[in-house]
Amino acid sequence: PCVAVNCAALPETLLESELFGHVQGAYTGAVRDRAGLFEAAQNGTLFLDEISELSPSSQAKLLRAVEQKQITRLGSTEPRAVDVRIIASTGRDLKVLVKDGRFREDLYYRLSVMEIRLPPLRERREDIPLLVEHFIRKFNSELKRGIEGVDLAAMQRLIAYPWPGNVRELQNVIERGVLLAQDRLIGQAALPVAISGAEAVVAAPDDLGAALRVYEREHMRQVLATVD
């Protein structure tokens, strides 16, 4: 099995129960024994995403489980052996957090046996066209659209943009582009202003009803741009 958990989404009060499980009566609402994520990942992988968000006390509990290869369910005194591969990820520099005293040095060295650094998107711009193609296929399927790609001017803008939000930001931009594209290609007008570099020029039809619809669509586009 491969079990993934977002450490940032685990409340401190529930972390021990989520990771190590609990026995009936361990706390109010614990009406039956429950295995934790370590046991769920037995003989497999436990993926700890955003591990830098764990509190110091949670880091200490995790370190003990990793070092001793055993856990104790909340409310129990009986240790249980676990054989689990640990993979941890974070968008922050753990070495800096260790230096600042915000991440345990001993836990860092236990986790960093094999370290893989994924450079930010701005350092691997050659990946952008491939990622754009992937996200277009993804959102064509989800949104029932038939977008075929990105025009040259828009692609140049995408490659030149520094992407402070990395791949997640690119995914959101392409989803927006698939929604707003007026033909088979995503153009600059369907990109956020921060990327396109200029406000889109909207042609107003002579028919009042059509003009209002164009204005409404453009207004929605601008509102969406402010929340990207």
Side-chain angles (χ1 to χ4, degrees):
C2 181
V3 178
V5 56
N6 182 356
C7 297
L10 282 178
E12 177 71 16
T13 54
L14 296 179
L15 178 96
E16 188 172 358
S17 175
E18 286 294 314
L19 289 180
F20 310 130
H22 62 255
V23 297
Q24 182 178 355
Y27 56 86
T28 303
V31 296
R32 61 180 180 274
D33 291 359
R34 179 178 179 273
L37 297 174
F38 266 88
E39 289 182 79
Q42 181 74 351
N43 298 319
T45 301
L46 179 61
F47 173 47
L48 301 172
D49 193 14
E50 300 295 352
I51 196 168
S52 60
E53 302 305 312
L54 289 179
S55 68
S57 63
S58 298
Q59 293 174 30
K61 295 171 184 175
L62 177 61
L63 175 64
R64 185 173 182 274
V66 173
E67 284 190 330
Q68 299 185 3
K69 296 185 178 180
Q70 63 181 25
I71 56 95
T72 302
R73 289 184 178 182
L74 187 63
S76 172
T77 58
E78 178 187 351
R80 296 168 179 261
V82 288
D83 182 11
V84 175
R85 177 194 297 112
I86 301 290
I87 298 178
S89 73
T90 177
R92 306 174 70 181
D93 190 333
L94 288 185
K95 292 181 180 178
V96 173
L97 297 182
V98 168
K99 184 178 179 181
D100 293 343
R102 289 181 288 167
F103 197 85
R104 293 183 63 107
E105 186 175 23
D106 45 7
L107 178 58
Y108 169 74
Y109 286 116
R110 288 297 294 137
L111 295 174
S112 62
V113 175
M114 175 66 70
E115 184 175 341
I116 300 174
R117 178 182 178 271
L118 183 63
L121 191 54
R122 63 181 175 274
E123 293 181 12
R124 48 192 175 98
R125 297 179 189 273
E126 66 276 8
D127 289 350
I128 291 176
L130 294 174
L131 288 166
V132 167
E133 181 181 349
H134 165 71
F135 289 134
I136 287 176
R137 287 198 304 267
K138 169 184 169 67
F139 293 119
N140 272 341
S141 175
E142 291 182 7
L143 303 173
K144 309 303 179 186
R145 297 279 280 163
I147 304 303
E148 296 175 356
V150 175
D151 70 25
L152 179 60
M155 182 61 76
Q156 289 173 339
R157 292 287 186 174
L158 292 172
I159 292 174
Y161 185 66
W163 299 107
N166 288 300
V167 177
R168 286 191 181 96
E169 183 182 7
L170 175 61
Q171 176 176 290
N172 292 339
V173 167
I174 298 305
E175 181 179 14
R176 167 204 171 96
V178 170
L179 278 169
L180 298 181
Q182 298 300 304
D183 52 35
R184 294 293 182 179
L185 296 178
I186 297 173
Q188 291 189 73
L191 301 178
V193 173
I195 298 175
S196 66
E199 293 284 357
V201 177
V202 179
D206 294 334
D207 176 75
L208 179 59
L212 287 173
R213 287 192 293 274
V214 169
Y215 174 81
E216 181 181 23
R217 183 172 64 248
E218 177 62 14
H219 175 70
M220 292 174 64
R221 187 192 68 78
Q222 292 182 12
V223 170
L224 286 169
T226 64
V227 298
D228 276 350

